[in-house]
Amino acid sequence: MEILSWSPTSQGSSITNGTDWKRPYSYLQHAERLLSHDVDDHYRIDCIINLNRAIDHRVKLLAALYRFKKIPVLGKPEKLLDMLGYFGVARPAMLRELSSVRNLLEHHYKAPPPLQRCQELAEFTWYFLKSTDYLSTSVLEDFVLYPSGVKFSEKYWLEVTYGPSSEWVCSIRGRVPADFVGDESTDGWAILASRLEREERLSKDCALNDVLEKRGGHENDVYIVADVLVDEQAYKDITDLYFSVL
């Protein structure tokens, strides 16, 4: 649907409670202290284990906040790390590598990576934590779509309520062109309107021509409040928009 090419802007978020998002940094700092006193293999072994704990703690927090498995995209990966990559939250390749190194150390008694490699993994861990700090402290509840290139518009806008707080059920409201709303589903969308008003009714308390001239709109423009049923690809598009705002 063309409207999905509009530019998304954050509308409202809920602030998470507690300081769980800070905990991974204590593991990271401990790992960095171990590397600064790299006496023997045991220091690097403990370093890798603590880096893995830092990432594992953050991944579990994100899973609790966003409930990725409930996102209604049938084709999404089953494993959590793969889902983070699928929805653009993080690149899971390095996460899997760090986890596999930890498993080698604990279960097969392999030598740890050299110091330089451990330092690279520590830097990646820092980057991963920093890049997901906002996701861990503020959960987006809704966002607004404006025509591309326009940050705010009186003419057209569409507020999308979507995310874990709404159980990943999508609803919309906004002022859109008349051809946005039809009698049948379009491009995988089915709009279940609970309120639908034409521009004439919206403008009944003022001069219609003045309103249209000011907004650059059309008398058949529509104000809509609706629940939305979409197919798998459309849900993926909406979810990508959701995480692109964060």
Side-chain angles (χ1 to χ4, degrees):
M1 180 172 284
E2 180 182 353
I3 204 166
L4 289 183
S5 66
W6 289 8
S7 301
T9 301
S10 175
Q11 173 78 354
S13 301
S14 60
I15 306 300
T16 60
N17 295 323
T19 58
D20 281 353
W21 68 276
K22 294 182 179 180
R23 180 63 177 169
Y25 285 102
S26 64
Y27 296 124
L28 174 60
Q29 291 167 359
H30 183 54
E32 290 173 334
R33 284 194 296 269
L34 290 167
L35 290 180
S36 67
H37 301 86
D38 184 41
V39 177
D40 54 36
D41 286 1
H42 296 291
Y43 280 76
R44 276 172 280 138
I45 290 172
D46 288 344
C47 166
I48 293 298
I49 291 174
N50 276 278
L51 292 180
N52 189 80
R53 285 174 177 167
I55 290 179
D56 188 57
H57 189 285
R58 176 56 57 86
V59 168
K60 288 181 177 178
L61 176 60
L62 292 174
L65 291 174
Y66 291 93
R67 302 192 291 277
F68 296 102
K69 293 184 178 181
K70 291 189 175 182
I71 297 176
V73 176
L74 298 179
K76 66 180 181 293
E78 294 184 3
K79 295 182 178 180
L80 180 57
L81 289 181
D82 292 334
M83 276 192 275
L84 294 183
Y86 184 72
F87 292 120
V89 176
R91 299 298 179 186
M94 284 291 287
L95 301 180
R96 287 197 298 268
E97 182 175 354
L98 184 58
S99 181
S100 67
V101 171
R102 193 278 306 267
N103 290 335
L104 285 172
L105 294 177
E106 291 189 345
H107 302 300
H108 300 286
Y109 306 102
K110 299 290 184 180
L115 177 61
Q116 182 177 351
R117 180 59 176 150
C118 288
Q119 290 171 334
E120 291 173 353
L121 291 170
E123 289 179 2
F124 165 77
T125 302
W126 177 88
Y127 175 78
F128 172 70
L129 295 180
K130 287 296 182 181
S131 65
T132 55
D133 276 349
Y134 185 79
L135 282 166
S136 303
T137 57
S138 183
V139 179
L140 185 69
E141 296 181 343
D142 45 45
F143 58 93
V144 180
L145 297 173
Y146 294 105
S148 298
V150 179
K151 188 172 182 180
F152 300 104
S153 170
E154 286 187 327
K155 181 179 179 182
Y156 298 129
W157 55 274
L158 188 70
E159 180 183 286
V160 181
T161 299
Y162 184 64
S165 60
S166 63
E167 299 296 328
W168 295 106
V169 174
C170 183
S171 60
I172 59 174
R173 74 178 186 91
R175 187 171 183 272
V176 297
D179 57 7
F180 176 74
V181 181
D183 296 330
E184 299 178 356
S185 62
T186 304
D187 296 333
W189 286 64
I191 310 298
L192 307 179
S194 57
R195 179 182 175 192
L196 185 64
E197 297 179 354
R198 299 290 177 182
E199 183 65 55
E200 301 99 321
R201 183 175 174 186
L202 292 175
S203 311
K204 63 183 179 180
D205 295 330
C206 56
L208 176 59
N209 290 336
D210 292 343
V211 173
L212 297 179
E213 182 178 355
K214 177 182 177 182
R215 295 180 175 177
H218 188 275
E219 64 181 12
N220 288 326
D221 288 345
V222 171
Y223 177 80
I224 184 173
V225 177
D227 293 325
V228 180
L229 298 177
V230 298
D231 64 13
E232 180 180 341
Q233 182 56 51
Y235 260 127
K236 177 63 166 61
D237 294 339
I238 296 172
T239 306
D240 287 344
L241 274 175
Y242 175 89
F243 285 111
S244 73
V245 178
L246 298 172

